[in-house]
Amino acid sequence: MRLPLIALLAAGLAAPALADNWDDTLAAARGQTVFWNAWGGDERTNDFIAWASGELEAQYGVTIQQVKLSDTAEAVTRVIAEKAAGQTGGGSVDLIWINGANFLSMKEQGLLHGPFLADLPNSKYLDLSDDSAAIVDFTIPTEGYESPWRLAKFVLTHDSARVPEPPRSMAAFLDWAKANPGRFTHPAVSNFMGATFLKQALIELTPDVSVLQSEATDAVFSAATEPLWAWYDALRPNLWRGGTAFPENESVLQQMLNDGEVDFAMAFDPAAAAAAVERGLLPDTVRSYAPEGGSIGNISFVAIPFNAAHKEGAMVVANFLLDPATQAHAQDITVLGSYSVLDPAKLDDAAKAAFAALPTSPALPSNEALGPTLNEPHPSWMTRIAGEWAKRYTK
């Protein structure tokens, strides 16, 4: 029986035991083709996976066959069907890019291999402390059944030529909006980005942030959100068009920033503004930053089904994705622009140098400047605050 991941690391048992086991894993993985089921809707991500396959083949004799999904549930349904048919080995899915409800579904139904994260040598670069976002998937403890591989994080974007000193907290934003009426807005709350803005405000303003990690029941919702609505009541009259209309999504908001119609945009990709500057969609005076105290982060994970045909190869892929050199390559704005899931404090000088050597842009915040990653509230909070916002402000 395996010890829990954190217990292994705390006891210092991982390093010597891991080396022997990992050599066995590498030997068994050689020659395997890993069928990685991953969302295929982004060409840069697809290109990155193709690049990873080439590197893995050269280094470990493992290749990746990407199964491009339009919905992660497609892969989950396949594993469920295989289990129902009694197929406990030789499954068609080796690795899944998975998050949230799909992970919970597989975990609850016993469809996952593991825990395996502690067996990956490169897991030593992760922050695996109790409050780390790397061990929780939309409030669901991963317990070593998932391995992180890329990070999205809420950031604000401003034109430094017009706003040289932007507000760094939601409370400060209210003061700034009062002094600059009509110069700030957010996407409609029915849109993911608009709801994320409200969640970020909720985390900063709620009196007990710990309640957000559990379901939003009637018993806790009112007390937890009362400061949010008081803040928003004061903010709304100072929004663009008096808070009576909102841009459809973050792309429209970014265009409004570019047109000088507002002074801020927002994104869940810290590299989005830098990429827009490169494409001439934003002025080169644009900068992105995270609120002081940190911002909501969304870590993408990979998991291995219980009946995967190539478990060892899948583990080698998961470990490769955590390699500092791989993470630095993924963060390159010319490659993927996906921020690292690694803890900068755990990197050695060579690993830090790999990140320091990346192409830079004044619009691109550093890993350190992004600050702490705040855990997403339980999914029920997003549903309820979006509904409450609509009830209060759209009639």
Side-chain angles (χ1 to χ4, degrees), residues 156-168 172-173 176-177 179-180 183-184 257 260-265 283 285-289:
L156 292 153
T157 299
H158 67 106
D159 187 337
S160 62
R162 300 200 298 264
V163 185
E165 294 296 334
R168 301 282 173 175
F173 244 109
W176 186 91
N180 301 273
R183 301 300 301 168
F184 177 75
L257 173 65
E261 198 168 357
V262 295
D263 289 327
F264 287 87
T285 48
V286 156
R287 304 287 184 269
S288 286
Y289 69 100

Side-chain angles (χ1 to χ4, degrees), residues 54-235:
E55 293 294 312
L56 282 156
E57 184 172 18
Q59 296 180 40
Y60 304 108
V62 174
T63 57
I64 297 172
Q65 177 66 55
Q66 184 185 0
V67 180
K68 296 178 181 176
L69 306 175
S70 57
D71 189 329
T72 305
E74 297 167 18
V76 177
T77 300
R78 225 176 308 137
V79 177
I80 291 173
E82 289 173 355
K83 184 177 183 181
Q87 187 176 351
T88 58
S92 62
V93 181
D94 292 318
L95 192 68
I96 308 180
W97 174 3
I98 193 170
N99 280 93
N102 286 305
F103 170 67
L104 178 62
S105 175
M106 292 194 73
K107 187 181 179 188
E108 288 182 337
Q109 297 182 66
L111 299 176
L112 294 170
H113 167 67
F116 69 91
L117 183 59
D119 296 334
L120 308 181
N122 288 331
S123 65
K124 67 183 179 183
Y125 297 115
L126 294 167
D127 175 6
L128 298 172
S129 58
D130 289 345
D131 58 351
S132 170
I135 61 168
V136 180
D137 184 351
F138 280 84
T139 72
I140 305 161
T142 60
E143 298 178 326
Y145 286 91
E146 286 186 317
S147 180
W149 78 285
R150 59 190 293 182
L151 172 68
K153 201 164 181 176
F154 176 79
V155 291
L156 292 153
T157 299
H158 67 106
D159 187 337
S160 62
R162 300 200 298 264
V163 185
E165 294 296 334
R168 301 282 173 175
S169 68
M170 292 301 166
F173 244 109
L174 175 57
D175 295 337
W176 186 91
K178 287 179 176 177
N180 301 273
R183 301 300 301 168
F184 177 75
T185 188
H186 57 80
V189 174
S190 57
N191 175 264
F192 169 77
M193 195 69 251
T196 298
F197 169 70
L198 282 190
K199 285 192 294 182
Q200 175 71 31
L202 175 64
I203 289 174
E204 291 190 33
L205 298 170
T206 195
D208 180 7
V209 72
S210 66
V211 303
L212 305 181
Q213 294 301 300
S214 301
E215 187 173 357
T217 63
D218 292 342
V220 298
F221 184 76
S222 293
T225 58
E226 185 176 346
L228 171 69
W229 305 128
W231 170 82
Y232 196 85
D233 285 344
L235 176 69

Side-chain angles (χ1 to χ4, degrees), residues 21-32 60 62 312 316:
N21 293 338
W22 190 246
D23 285 344
D24 293 342
T25 300
L26 289 174
R30 183 163 292 278
Q32 291 185 349
Y60 304 108
V62 174
E312 298 87 357
V316 171

Side-chain angles (χ1 to χ4, degrees), residues 177-382:
K178 287 179 176 177
N180 301 273
R183 301 300 301 168
F184 177 75
T185 188
H186 57 80
V189 174
S190 57
N191 175 264
F192 169 77
M193 195 69 251
T196 298
F197 169 70
L198 282 190
K199 285 192 294 182
Q200 175 71 31
L202 175 64
I203 289 174
E204 291 190 33
L205 298 170
T206 195
D208 180 7
V209 72
S210 66
V211 303
L212 305 181
Q213 294 301 300
S214 301
E215 187 173 357
T217 63
D218 292 342
V220 298
F221 184 76
S222 293
T225 58
E226 185 176 346
L228 171 69
W229 305 128
W231 170 82
Y232 196 85
D233 285 344
L235 176 69
R236 187 189 177 205
N238 299 290
L239 295 177
W240 175 75
R241 295 189 177 176
T244 58
F246 298 89
E248 181 181 355
N249 53 45
E250 66 181 273
S251 298
V252 176
L253 182 58
Q254 179 182 290
Q255 184 61 50
M256 292 168 66
L257 173 65
N258 189 49
D259 293 342
E261 198 168 357
V262 295
D263 289 327
F264 287 87
M266 56 191 71
F268 217 51
D269 174 3
V277 171
E278 286 290 319
R279 299 197 301 273
L281 301 176
L282 286 173
D284 58 11
T285 48
V286 156
R287 304 287 184 269
S288 286
Y289 69 100
E292 64 183 4
S295 63
I296 292 177
N298 185 323
I299 289 180
S300 289
F301 294 89
V302 291
I304 303 171
F306 80 105
N307 66 342
H310 308 108
K311 292 187 179 71
E312 298 87 357
M315 291 175 65
V316 171
V317 173
N319 188 62
F320 174 81
L321 294 173
L322 291 176
D323 189 299
T326 305
Q327 289 281 309
H329 183 73
Q331 190 170 315
D332 188 333
I333 192 172
T334 66
V335 177
L336 195 55
S338 180
Y339 270 66
S340 173
V341 297
L342 306 182
D343 181 352
K346 295 181 182 295
L347 300 180
D348 59 22
D349 290 344
K352 290 176 181 174
F355 285 98
L358 292 175
T360 60
S361 164
L364 204 60
S366 67
N367 289 327
E368 293 77 9
L370 284 175
T373 300
L374 307 178
N375 286 324
E376 283 269 10
H378 187 279
S380 57
W381 287 93
M382 183 161 135

